[in-house]
Amino acid sequence: MQGFAGFMWLLSVALILFSGFALIDAAIRREDAYRAADKQTKPFWLIILGLAFVVNLIFNILSFLPIIGLIATIVYMVDVRPAIKGLPGGGRSRKGSSSDGPYGPWNGGR
C-alpha cells in the first residue's frame, strides 16, 4: 500500500507542476495573441488555469475536481498554446526596441 501512496504523491506533484507551467505560460503570452488565434481571452485562461492549480494543491488526485482541472490544462496545452505560439513573435510579451516608432520598428530607411 505504501508504494501506491508514493505513486499517487508523485502523480499529484506532476499534476501541480503541469498546471503551474500552463498558468505561467498563459501569463507570459500577449493578450492580443489570444484574440488573434481566435481563442478565449487571456483573463479567461488565467482564471481557469489558476483555479486548476489551486484545486490541484488542495484536493486529492482521486477526487473529481483535479480531473476537471487536468482536462482544462490539457486543453490549454494542446489547443490554445500551439495556436498562440504559431503567431508571429510566438505570442510572447516583448518590450519595444529603442528604435521602435508608433507604427512598428524603424530601420532607418533600409
Side-chain angles (χ1 to χ4, degrees):
M1 207 56 179
Q2 191 176 20
F4 180 72
F7 173 73
M8 294 307 286
W9 181 82
L10 284 176
L11 196 58
S12 178
V13 169
L15 197 59
I16 290 168
L17 292 175
F18 184 55
S19 62
F21 173 77
L23 178 62
I24 291 170
D25 186 73
I28 65 171
R29 303 290 172 187
R30 293 190 332 251
E31 203 282 324
D32 62 334
Y34 289 87
R35 286 181 276 130
D38 199 26
K39 303 297 177 187
Q40 292 290 333
T41 62
K42 181 177 182 174
F44 172 84
W45 282 109
L46 289 177
I47 290 169
I48 295 296
L49 295 172
L51 286 173
F53 181 73
V54 170
V55 162
N56 288 329
L57 283 175
I58 295 174
F59 291 100
N60 184 4
I61 194 166
L62 293 177
S63 53
F64 189 64
L65 290 175
I67 295 172
I68 294 172
L70 175 64
I71 291 169
T73 305
I74 290 173
V75 167
Y76 175 80
M77 293 298 286
V78 172
D79 182 39
V80 178
R81 186 173 187 253
I84 292 173
K85 283 183 74 172
L87 295 174
R92 288 221 170 173
S93 295
R94 58 185 168 93
K95 303 280 187 208
S97 170
S98 62
S99 65
D100 281 356
Y103 304 108
W106 183 73
N107 60 7
R110 289 181 254 159

